[in-house]
Amino acid sequence: MDSLGALRRTHTCNELGPDHLDREVILMGWVLRRRDHGGVIFIDLRDRWGVTQVVFNPERNADVHAKAHRLRSEWVLAVRGTVCRRPADMENPKLKTGAIEVLVNELLILNVSETPPFPLDEDIEVSDNLRLQYRYLDLRRPEKAGNLIMRHQAVMAVRNYLSENNFLEIETPMLTRSTPEGARDYLVPSRVNPGKFYALPQSPQLFKQLLMMAGMDRYFQVVRCFRDEDLRADRQPEFTQIDMELSFVGEEDIIRIAEGMIQAVFKAAGNIELQPPFNHMTYDEAVQRFGTDRPDTRFGFELVDLTETLRGCGFKVFNSVIAGNGVVKAINAKGCATFSRKDLDNLADYAATFGARGMAWIKIREDGWQSPISKFFSADEIKAMGEALGVEPGDLILFGAGPAAVANQVLAELRLELARRLGLIKEGTYDFLWITDFPLVEYDQKEKRYSAVHHPFTAPNEDQLDLLATDPARVKSRAYDLVLNGNEIGGGSIRIHRRDVQEKVFAVLGIEPAEAQEKFGFLLRALELGAPPHGGIAFGVDRLMMILTGSDSIRDVIAFPKTQKATCPLTDAPAAVDRKQLTDLSLRPDW
RNA sequence: GGGGUCGUAGCUCAGCUGGUUAGAGCGCCGGCCUGUCACGCCGGAGGUCGCGAGUUCGAGUCUCGUCGGCCCCGCCA
């Protein structure tokens, strides 16, 4: 093994070309592949930037050639050599450096490597567990490294853009206090305060508001947030937000800043030109037309409400749903009358996973409507449904019936599934949509109380303050979400900056004055000491990068992600700790 | 908390209705090879069929349990 010593590289493995012919260069990197012909040996040398072919020729230097025979995958090399044009017809168009090769005069073996536990040079699927256990190997693969590079470019664009717009990046505590509502907290026991706990922040929400009260005016932070909930492809227990807050602004100011930032990110990270302003849609319209507050509007299949059309109809299932204050909605799956019984059963099973009790359907044939349920409808009802849905022969009607929330979710998921099955979702399109006019609160049937749709600090619509006490469910909030291709990538609101309003909202949420004082006294006090009007927004960096990189999971854009059980196969976290560590924290284990 | 799916060589996988010695490709090791770029040719090594019970004359295969990966519901202001 050789020492690096004073030797330094002159170029990366992605920058040599015909301009460098005959130059002596020094490259360093990993052995991606070796092709040993007994005589001449070719090594593809890889670093973060790319790949360069280096050549060992026994006629040029027999000692170096002999040494090169030992080389194996992922050994770490330094080579000194001469840039040569490749022989005619032997250029490799797949490599950026494919016009040249480096004829090696000196080889340093900086480190050896065992055979890697999985191949790094092919695009084959490797189990997630193994990849995470050897994450540092997985990240050597250009696709994975490229995701992290693009993430860096995106975050740099954010910092530059916001800095140019007079924002200050300010850090907020990671050790803070647990707050009611929201997700489960990660707790950290306090050694010097036995029996008391910090919580890791679910977001810097209150601190950024306090920074507005501190007169910082424009704050941002690229900040880690923690939520102890079950994981998904797009949810990790720790994730990164671009968090910002502004003073003396309304919704339109924040939306304009956010659009400019997203535009800068897409340009810097993906060389994609966006054209703000983005479209807007109210929450009510989104739910009515798409069944969700984060609609994917890249395709049709919109929901049609048939509740009034079918009130009193002959189909008992629908009738009882409607009588029980439920809704009957439907989508027209254009051209899907060709679906087999198996296809439909399959869709019904899928619908059932979202709480559907069944999935009624009607095929529109040239010779009439074909369905197990069409016989229950009158001619007038059939005519009205057909017109409402705009059906033509060859179409398929899918119904969702039940409580509004269930029917909406079922049909929202069905239209997504249909679009996927029919290949209607065009890759490379970026469909942004602002959702506005959210309800301030919604009634939680299980908890028998109202809970905040956004969070407890979101400002109610100013001319609906009177409704807070009488009919809070009708109050709209000053919140807004940014949806991209059906993914919620950001959300924010104008905040409450008056103590009396904040107290009223707490009251709606069932937070008693004593509890409000105990948990949020510091905020209420700050609201008494000159809190400016303010608002903000936060974006999920991981989800944004998942979409920009075309990844299926945010794990692919996080350097060291966790498994679905929130473990890290690389470090084996979480892990047991010494009993002494627990007793230091005044924790008395019962195991 | 619940549903689905996967687990066989270092990796990716095949292995039917239970049946003799569990296979393939890649990788790895050895040999040959001076223009390859997924180099080629010849030879070889390599297995706790995730783990544990059970059924059976006999289990990679069937049953039950369990562990782990992934996807989803609930949950995630």
Side-chain angles (χ1 to χ4, degrees), chain A residues 354-383:
Chain A
F354 301 97
R357 306 287 288 272
M359 187 194 71
W361 52 266
I362 297 174
K363 288 181 181 177
I364 314 300
R365 290 267 167 88
E366 291 287 356
D367 55 357
W369 289 25
Q370 185 212 333
S371 165
I373 65 164
S374 53
K375 59 176 178 266
F376 297 115
F377 301 116
S378 70
D380 283 350
E381 286 163 349
I382 286 176
K383 184 164 178 288

PDB file of all heavy atoms in Angstrom, chain A residues 354-383:
ATOM      1  N   PHE A 354     -59.495   1.897   1.410  1.00  0.00           N
ATOM      2  CA  PHE A 354     -59.695   3.278   1.869  1.00  0.00           C
ATOM      3  C   PHE A 354     -61.036   3.440   2.557  1.00  0.00           C
ATOM      4  O   PHE A 354     -61.514   4.549   2.748  1.00  0.00           O
ATOM      5  CB  PHE A 354     -59.563   4.248   0.693  1.00  0.00           C
ATOM      6  CG  PHE A 354     -58.228   4.160   0.030  1.00  0.00           C
ATOM      7  CD1 PHE A 354     -58.034   3.399  -1.108  1.00  0.00           C
ATOM      8  CD2 PHE A 354     -57.128   4.816   0.578  1.00  0.00           C
ATOM      9  CE1 PHE A 354     -56.788   3.296  -1.704  1.00  0.00           C
ATOM     10  CE2 PHE A 354     -55.883   4.721  -0.011  1.00  0.00           C
ATOM     11  CZ  PHE A 354     -55.711   3.965  -1.148  1.00  0.00           C
ATOM     12  N   GLY A 355     -61.669   2.317   2.888  1.00  0.00           N
ATOM     13  CA  GLY A 355     -62.887   2.380   3.677  1.00  0.00           C
ATOM     14  C   GLY A 355     -64.164   2.238   2.884  1.00  0.00           C
ATOM     15  O   GLY A 355     -65.245   2.348   3.437  1.00  0.00           O
ATOM     16  N   ALA A 356     -64.063   1.977   1.560  1.00  0.00           N
ATOM     17  CA  ALA A 356     -65.281   1.798   0.766  1.00  0.00           C
ATOM     18  C   ALA A 356     -65.967   0.496   1.163  1.00  0.00           C
ATOM     19  O   ALA A 356     -65.315  -0.528   1.332  1.00  0.00           O
ATOM     20  CB  ALA A 356     -64.941   1.794  -0.724  1.00  0.00           C
ATOM     21  N   ARG A 357     -67.282   0.536   1.306  1.00  0.00           N
ATOM     22  CA  ARG A 357     -68.026  -0.685   1.637  1.00  0.00           C
ATOM     23  C   ARG A 357     -68.241  -1.521   0.393  1.00  0.00           C
ATOM     24  O   ARG A 357     -68.550  -2.701   0.460  1.00  0.00           O
ATOM     25  CB  ARG A 357     -69.376  -0.316   2.263  1.00  0.00           C
ATOM     26  CG  ARG A 357     -69.282   0.626   3.462  1.00  0.00           C
ATOM     27  CD  ARG A 357     -68.752  -0.083   4.699  1.00  0.00           C
ATOM     28  NE  ARG A 357     -69.750  -0.997   5.238  1.00  0.00           N
ATOM     29  CZ  ARG A 357     -70.685  -0.647   6.116  1.00  0.00           C
ATOM     30  NH1 ARG A 357     -70.763   0.612   6.529  1.00  0.00           N
ATOM     31  NH2 ARG A 357     -71.532  -1.539   6.583  1.00  0.00           N
ATOM     32  N   GLY A 358     -68.149  -0.890  -0.767  1.00  0.00           N
ATOM     33  CA  GLY A 358     -68.314  -1.571  -2.038  1.00  0.00           C
ATOM     34  C   GLY A 358     -67.983  -0.563  -3.122  1.00  0.00           C
ATOM     35  O   GLY A 358     -67.685   0.591  -2.817  1.00  0.00           O
ATOM     36  N   MET A 359     -67.982  -1.015  -4.368  1.00  0.00           N
ATOM     37  CA  MET A 359     -67.738  -0.058  -5.444  1.00  0.00           C
ATOM     38  C   MET A 359     -68.683  -0.368  -6.591  1.00  0.00           C
ATOM     39  O   MET A 359     -68.468  -1.292  -7.380  1.00  0.00           O
ATOM     40  CB  MET A 359     -66.290  -0.123  -5.933  1.00  0.00           C
ATOM     41  CG  MET A 359     -65.955   0.985  -6.928  1.00  0.00           C
ATOM     42  SD  MET A 359     -64.410   0.675  -7.806  1.00  0.00           S
ATOM     43  CE  MET A 359     -64.899  -0.689  -8.866  1.00  0.00           C
ATOM     44  N   ALA A 360     -69.769   0.420  -6.646  1.00  0.00           N
ATOM     45  CA  ALA A 360     -70.727   0.228  -7.728  1.00  0.00           C
ATOM     46  C   ALA A 360     -70.138   0.753  -9.030  1.00  0.00           C
ATOM     47  O   ALA A 360     -69.326   1.678  -9.022  1.00  0.00           O
ATOM     48  CB  ALA A 360     -72.027   0.958  -7.399  1.00  0.00           C
ATOM     49  N   TRP A 361     -70.538   0.130 -10.134  1.00  0.00           N
ATOM     50  CA  TRP A 361     -70.038   0.572 -11.452  1.00  0.00           C
ATOM     51  C   TRP A 361     -71.106   0.375 -12.504  1.00  0.00           C
ATOM     52  O   TRP A 361     -72.023  -0.444 -12.343  1.00  0.00           O
ATOM     53  CB  TRP A 361     -68.781  -0.197 -11.851  1.00  0.00           C
ATOM     54  CG  TRP A 361     -68.917  -1.695 -11.766  1.00  0.00           C
ATOM     55  CD1 TRP A 361     -68.581  -2.498 -10.707  1.00  0.00           C
ATOM     56  CD2 TRP A 361     -69.449  -2.576 -12.773  1.00  0.00           C
ATOM     57  NE1 TRP A 361     -68.868  -3.806 -10.993  1.00  0.00           N
ATOM     58  CE2 TRP A 361     -69.379  -3.891 -12.254  1.00  0.00           C
ATOM     59  CE3 TRP A 361     -69.951  -2.375 -14.065  1.00  0.00           C
ATOM     60  CZ2 TRP A 361     -69.824  -5.006 -12.979  1.00  0.00           C
ATOM     61  CZ3 TRP A 361     -70.382  -3.487 -14.798  1.00  0.00           C
ATOM     62  CH2 TRP A 361     -70.313  -4.791 -14.242  1.00  0.00           C
ATOM     63  N   ILE A 362     -71.010   1.159 -13.557  1.00  0.00           N
ATOM     64  CA  ILE A 362     -71.912   1.012 -14.701  1.00  0.00           C
ATOM     65  C   ILE A 362     -71.080   1.145 -15.969  1.00  0.00           C
ATOM     66  O   ILE A 362     -70.338   2.113 -16.137  1.00  0.00           O
ATOM     67  CB  ILE A 362     -73.015   2.106 -14.704  1.00  0.00           C
ATOM     68  CG1 ILE A 362     -73.909   1.970 -13.455  1.00  0.00           C
ATOM     69  CG2 ILE A 362     -73.855   2.002 -15.977  1.00  0.00           C
ATOM     70  CD1 ILE A 362     -74.911   3.101 -13.310  1.00  0.00           C
ATOM     71  N   LYS A 363     -71.187   0.146 -16.836  1.00  0.00           N
ATOM     72  CA  LYS A 363     -70.534   0.240 -18.138  1.00  0.00           C
ATOM     73  C   LYS A 363     -71.509   0.848 -19.143  1.00  0.00           C
ATOM     74  O   LYS A 363     -72.662   0.414 -19.233  1.00  0.00           O
ATOM     75  CB  LYS A 363     -70.115  -1.156 -18.631  1.00  0.00           C
ATOM     76  CG  LYS A 363     -68.951  -1.759 -17.876  1.00  0.00           C
ATOM     77  CD  LYS A 363     -68.609  -3.136 -18.456  1.00  0.00           C
ATOM     78  CE  LYS A 363     -67.449  -3.753 -17.679  1.00  0.00           C
ATOM     79  NZ  LYS A 363     -67.143  -5.119 -18.185  1.00  0.00           N
ATOM     80  N   ILE A 364     -71.021   1.832 -19.894  1.00  0.00           N
ATOM     81  CA  ILE A 364     -71.868   2.452 -20.916  1.00  0.00           C
ATOM     82  C   ILE A 364     -71.578   1.768 -22.246  1.00  0.00           C
ATOM     83  O   ILE A 364     -70.502   1.933 -22.824  1.00  0.00           O
ATOM     84  CB  ILE A 364     -71.575   3.963 -21.044  1.00  0.00           C
ATOM     85  CG1 ILE A 364     -71.507   4.619 -19.661  1.00  0.00           C
ATOM     86  CG2 ILE A 364     -72.626   4.621 -21.922  1.00  0.00           C
ATOM     87  CD1 ILE A 364     -72.763   4.496 -18.843  1.00  0.00           C
ATOM     88  N   ARG A 365     -72.574   0.968 -22.689  1.00  0.00           N
ATOM     89  CA  ARG A 365     -72.421   0.241 -23.952  1.00  0.00           C
ATOM     90  C   ARG A 365     -73.245   0.925 -25.029  1.00  0.00           C
ATOM     91  O   ARG A 365     -74.179   1.663 -24.730  1.00  0.00           O
ATOM     92  CB  ARG A 365     -72.918  -1.205 -23.764  1.00  0.00           C
ATOM     93  CG  ARG A 365     -72.023  -2.054 -22.875  1.00  0.00           C
ATOM     94  CD  ARG A 365     -71.021  -2.801 -23.749  1.00  0.00           C
ATOM     95  NE  ARG A 365     -69.955  -3.396 -22.962  1.00  0.00           N
ATOM     96  CZ  ARG A 365     -70.019  -4.618 -22.418  1.00  0.00           C
ATOM     97  NH1 ARG A 365     -71.101  -5.344 -22.543  1.00  0.00           N
ATOM     98  NH2 ARG A 365     -68.988  -5.093 -21.758  1.00  0.00           N
ATOM     99  N   GLU A 366     -72.920   0.611 -26.281  1.00  0.00           N
ATOM    100  CA  GLU A 366     -73.726   1.142 -27.394  1.00  0.00           C
ATOM    101  C   GLU A 366     -75.197   0.769 -27.208  1.00  0.00           C
ATOM    102  O   GLU A 366     -76.092   1.556 -27.477  1.00  0.00           O
ATOM    103  CB  GLU A 366     -73.235   0.552 -28.730  1.00  0.00           C
ATOM    104  CG  GLU A 366     -71.858   1.029 -29.176  1.00  0.00           C
ATOM    105  CD  GLU A 366     -71.859   2.467 -29.676  1.00  0.00           C
ATOM    106  OE1 GLU A 366     -72.945   3.076 -29.750  1.00  0.00           O
ATOM    107  OE2 GLU A 366     -70.764   2.979 -29.971  1.00  0.00           O
ATOM    108  N   ASP A 367     -75.412  -0.461 -26.673  1.00  0.00           N
ATOM    109  CA  ASP A 367     -76.789  -0.949 -26.564  1.00  0.00           C
ATOM    110  C   ASP A 367     -77.398  -0.696 -25.185  1.00  0.00           C
ATOM    111  O   ASP A 367     -78.399  -1.294 -24.825  1.00  0.00           O
ATOM    112  CB  ASP A 367     -76.835  -2.452 -26.886  1.00  0.00           C
ATOM    113  CG  ASP A 367     -75.868  -3.240 -26.012  1.00  0.00           C
ATOM    114  OD1 ASP A 367     -75.135  -2.601 -25.223  1.00  0.00           O
ATOM    115  OD2 ASP A 367     -75.844  -4.472 -26.111  1.00  0.00           O
ATOM    116  N   GLY A 368     -76.773   0.158 -24.384  1.00  0.00           N
ATOM    117  CA  GLY A 368     -77.387   0.489 -23.108  1.00  0.00           C
ATOM    118  C   GLY A 368     -76.405   0.386 -21.951  1.00  0.00           C
ATOM    119  O   GLY A 368     -75.214   0.173 -22.149  1.00  0.00           O
ATOM    120  N   TRP A 369     -76.944   0.579 -20.751  1.00  0.00           N
ATOM    121  CA  TRP A 369     -76.108   0.574 -19.553  1.00  0.00           C
ATOM    122  C   TRP A 369     -76.035  -0.831 -18.995  1.00  0.00           C
ATOM    123  O   TRP A 369     -77.064  -1.468 -18.764  1.00  0.00           O
ATOM    124  CB  TRP A 369     -76.678   1.528 -18.505  1.00  0.00           C
ATOM    125  CG  TRP A 369     -76.509   2.980 -18.880  1.00  0.00           C
ATOM    126  CD1 TRP A 369     -76.374   3.494 -20.138  1.00  0.00           C
ATOM    127  CD2 TRP A 369     -76.456   4.077 -17.970  1.00  0.00           C
ATOM    128  NE1 TRP A 369     -76.234   4.843 -20.078  1.00  0.00           N
ATOM    129  CE2 TRP A 369     -76.277   5.242 -18.759  1.00  0.00           C
ATOM    130  CE3 TRP A 369     -76.531   4.200 -16.587  1.00  0.00           C
ATOM    131  CZ2 TRP A 369     -76.180   6.509 -18.199  1.00  0.00           C
ATOM    132  CZ3 TRP A 369     -76.441   5.457 -16.027  1.00  0.00           C
ATOM    133  CH2 TRP A 369     -76.260   6.602 -16.825  1.00  0.00           C
ATOM    134  N   GLN A 370     -74.824  -1.289 -18.734  1.00  0.00           N
ATOM    135  CA  GLN A 370     -74.655  -2.633 -18.193  1.00  0.00           C
ATOM    136  C   GLN A 370     -74.066  -2.548 -16.792  1.00  0.00           C
ATOM    137  O   GLN A 370     -72.997  -1.983 -16.598  1.00  0.00           O
ATOM    138  CB  GLN A 370     -73.730  -3.466 -19.094  1.00  0.00           C
ATOM    139  CG  GLN A 370     -73.620  -4.912 -18.634  1.00  0.00           C
ATOM    140  CD  GLN A 370     -72.264  -5.501 -18.941  1.00  0.00           C
ATOM    141  OE1 GLN A 370     -71.588  -5.083 -19.866  1.00  0.00           O
ATOM    142  NE2 GLN A 370     -71.855  -6.463 -18.137  1.00  0.00           N
ATOM    143  N   SER A 371     -74.822  -3.105 -15.837  1.00  0.00           N
ATOM    144  CA  SER A 371     -74.387  -3.017 -14.444  1.00  0.00           C
ATOM    145  C   SER A 371     -75.292  -3.839 -13.565  1.00  0.00           C
ATOM    146  O   SER A 371     -76.480  -3.999 -13.871  1.00  0.00           O
ATOM    147  CB  SER A 371     -74.431  -1.561 -13.980  1.00  0.00           C
ATOM    148  OG  SER A 371     -74.352  -1.492 -12.569  1.00  0.00           O
ATOM    149  N   PRO A 372     -74.755  -4.361 -12.479  1.00  0.00           N
ATOM    150  CA  PRO A 372     -75.634  -5.074 -11.542  1.00  0.00           C
ATOM    151  C   PRO A 372     -76.665  -4.149 -10.918  1.00  0.00           C
ATOM    152  O   PRO A 372     -77.657  -4.626 -10.356  1.00  0.00           O
ATOM    153  CB  PRO A 372     -74.667  -5.587 -10.465  1.00  0.00           C
ATOM    154  CG  PRO A 372     -73.314  -5.513 -11.076  1.00  0.00           C
ATOM    155  CD  PRO A 372     -73.358  -4.417 -12.072  1.00  0.00           C
ATOM    156  N   ILE A 373     -76.452  -2.828 -10.974  1.00  0.00           N
ATOM    157  CA  ILE A 373     -77.352  -1.930 -10.239  1.00  0.00           C
ATOM    158  C   ILE A 373     -78.192  -1.051 -11.148  1.00  0.00           C
ATOM    159  O   ILE A 373     -79.056  -0.321 -10.665  1.00  0.00           O
ATOM    160  CB  ILE A 373     -76.559  -1.017  -9.267  1.00  0.00           C
ATOM    161  CG1 ILE A 373     -75.644  -0.069 -10.026  1.00  0.00           C
ATOM    162  CG2 ILE A 373     -75.790  -1.849  -8.258  1.00  0.00           C
ATOM    163  CD1 ILE A 373     -75.143   1.081  -9.168  1.00  0.00           C
ATOM    164  N   SER A 374     -77.984  -1.099 -12.480  1.00  0.00           N
ATOM    165  CA  SER A 374     -78.687  -0.134 -13.336  1.00  0.00           C
ATOM    166  C   SER A 374     -80.193  -0.337 -13.285  1.00  0.00           C
ATOM    167  O   SER A 374     -80.960   0.591 -13.507  1.00  0.00           O
ATOM    168  CB  SER A 374     -78.168  -0.210 -14.776  1.00  0.00           C
ATOM    169  OG  SER A 374     -78.225  -1.532 -15.247  1.00  0.00           O
ATOM    170  N   LYS A 375     -80.617  -1.548 -12.970  1.00  0.00           N
ATOM    171  CA  LYS A 375     -82.068  -1.819 -12.937  1.00  0.00           C
ATOM    172  C   LYS A 375     -82.791  -1.048 -11.831  1.00  0.00           C
ATOM    173  O   LYS A 375     -83.991  -0.904 -11.856  1.00  0.00           O
ATOM    174  CB  LYS A 375     -82.324  -3.316 -12.763  1.00  0.00           C
ATOM    175  CG  LYS A 375     -81.734  -3.917 -11.492  1.00  0.00           C
ATOM    176  CD  LYS A 375     -82.125  -5.395 -11.367  1.00  0.00           C
ATOM    177  CE  LYS A 375     -81.517  -6.048 -10.145  1.00  0.00           C
ATOM    178  NZ  LYS A 375     -80.245  -6.715 -10.435  1.00  0.00           N
ATOM    179  N   PHE A 376     -82.019  -0.551 -10.849  1.00  0.00           N
ATOM    180  CA  PHE A 376     -82.654   0.165  -9.739  1.00  0.00           C
ATOM    181  C   PHE A 376     -82.964   1.615 -10.065  1.00  0.00           C
ATOM    182  O   PHE A 376     -83.597   2.304  -9.282  1.00  0.00           O
ATOM    183  CB  PHE A 376     -81.755   0.125  -8.496  1.00  0.00           C
ATOM    184  CG  PHE A 376     -81.531  -1.261  -7.966  1.00  0.00           C
ATOM    185  CD1 PHE A 376     -80.265  -1.839  -7.988  1.00  0.00           C
ATOM    186  CD2 PHE A 376     -82.595  -2.009  -7.454  1.00  0.00           C
ATOM    187  CE1 PHE A 376     -80.056  -3.116  -7.492  1.00  0.00           C
ATOM    188  CE2 PHE A 376     -82.387  -3.285  -6.959  1.00  0.00           C
ATOM    189  CZ  PHE A 376     -81.129  -3.847  -6.975  1.00  0.00           C
ATOM    190  N   PHE A 377     -82.475   2.112 -11.193  1.00  0.00           N
ATOM    191  CA  PHE A 377     -82.640   3.533 -11.489  1.00  0.00           C
ATOM    192  C   PHE A 377     -83.724   3.761 -12.532  1.00  0.00           C
ATOM    193  O   PHE A 377     -83.884   2.976 -13.463  1.00  0.00           O
ATOM    194  CB  PHE A 377     -81.309   4.125 -11.985  1.00  0.00           C
ATOM    195  CG  PHE A 377     -80.194   3.986 -10.989  1.00  0.00           C
ATOM    196  CD1 PHE A 377     -79.078   3.210 -11.271  1.00  0.00           C
ATOM    197  CD2 PHE A 377     -80.262   4.622  -9.754  1.00  0.00           C
ATOM    198  CE1 PHE A 377     -78.054   3.064 -10.351  1.00  0.00           C
ATOM    199  CE2 PHE A 377     -79.247   4.476  -8.828  1.00  0.00           C
ATOM    200  CZ  PHE A 377     -78.134   3.703  -9.123  1.00  0.00           C
ATOM    201  N   SER A 378     -84.436   4.881 -12.340  1.00  0.00           N
ATOM    202  CA  SER A 378     -85.473   5.254 -13.299  1.00  0.00           C
ATOM    203  C   SER A 378     -84.823   5.838 -14.552  1.00  0.00           C
ATOM    204  O   SER A 378     -83.641   6.194 -14.549  1.00  0.00           O
ATOM    205  CB  SER A 378     -86.404   6.292 -12.673  1.00  0.00           C
ATOM    206  OG  SER A 378     -85.705   7.521 -12.525  1.00  0.00           O
ATOM    207  N   ALA A 379     -85.613   5.949 -15.602  1.00  0.00           N
ATOM    208  CA  ALA A 379     -85.109   6.528 -16.842  1.00  0.00           C
ATOM    209  C   ALA A 379     -84.632   7.953 -16.617  1.00  0.00           C
ATOM    210  O   ALA A 379     -83.590   8.377 -17.146  1.00  0.00           O
ATOM    211  CB  ALA A 379     -86.200   6.494 -17.923  1.00  0.00           C
ATOM    212  N   ASP A 380     -85.385   8.702 -15.794  1.00  0.00           N
ATOM    213  CA  ASP A 380     -84.991  10.085 -15.512  1.00  0.00           C
ATOM    214  C   ASP A 380     -83.646  10.130 -14.789  1.00  0.00           C
ATOM    215  O   ASP A 380     -82.797  10.980 -15.081  1.00  0.00           O
ATOM    216  CB  ASP A 380     -86.056  10.769 -14.631  1.00  0.00           C
ATOM    217  CG  ASP A 380     -87.273  11.166 -15.463  1.00  0.00           C
ATOM    218  OD1 ASP A 380     -87.178  11.072 -16.710  1.00  0.00           O
ATOM    219  OD2 ASP A 380     -88.289  11.558 -14.856  1.00  0.00           O
ATOM    220  N   GLU A 381     -83.483   9.224 -13.811  1.00  0.00           N
ATOM    221  CA  GLU A 381     -82.240   9.199 -13.037  1.00  0.00           C
ATOM    222  C   GLU A 381     -81.053   8.844 -13.933  1.00  0.00           C
ATOM    223  O   GLU A 381     -79.967   9.421 -13.837  1.00  0.00           O
ATOM    224  CB  GLU A 381     -82.359   8.214 -11.878  1.00  0.00           C
ATOM    225  CG  GLU A 381     -83.245   8.745 -10.740  1.00  0.00           C
ATOM    226  CD  GLU A 381     -83.707   7.656  -9.772  1.00  0.00           C
ATOM    227  OE1 GLU A 381     -83.537   6.457 -10.077  1.00  0.00           O
ATOM    228  OE2 GLU A 381     -84.265   8.021  -8.715  1.00  0.00           O
ATOM    229  N   ILE A 382     -81.278   7.880 -14.823  1.00  0.00           N
ATOM    230  CA  ILE A 382     -80.211   7.489 -15.746  1.00  0.00           C
ATOM    231  C   ILE A 382     -79.844   8.655 -16.657  1.00  0.00           C
ATOM    232  O   ILE A 382     -78.663   8.958 -16.874  1.00  0.00           O
ATOM    233  CB  ILE A 382     -80.654   6.255 -16.561  1.00  0.00           C
ATOM    234  CG1 ILE A 382     -80.607   5.015 -15.659  1.00  0.00           C
ATOM    235  CG2 ILE A 382     -79.777   6.069 -17.789  1.00  0.00           C
ATOM    236  CD1 ILE A 382     -81.120   3.749 -16.308  1.00  0.00           C
ATOM    237  N   LYS A 383     -80.861   9.334 -17.130  1.00  0.00           N
ATOM    238  CA  LYS A 383     -80.611  10.471 -18.028  1.00  0.00           C
ATOM    239  C   LYS A 383     -79.836  11.565 -17.290  1.00  0.00           C
ATOM    240  O   LYS A 383     -78.838  12.098 -17.798  1.00  0.00           O
ATOM    241  CB  LYS A 383     -81.944  11.025 -18.519  1.00  0.00           C
ATOM    242  CG  LYS A 383     -81.843  12.155 -19.527  1.00  0.00           C
ATOM    243  CD  LYS A 383     -83.188  12.373 -20.234  1.00  0.00           C
ATOM    244  CE  LYS A 383     -83.153  13.521 -21.221  1.00  0.00           C
ATOM    245  NZ  LYS A 383     -83.093  14.829 -20.538  1.00  0.00           N
TER     246      LYS A 383
END
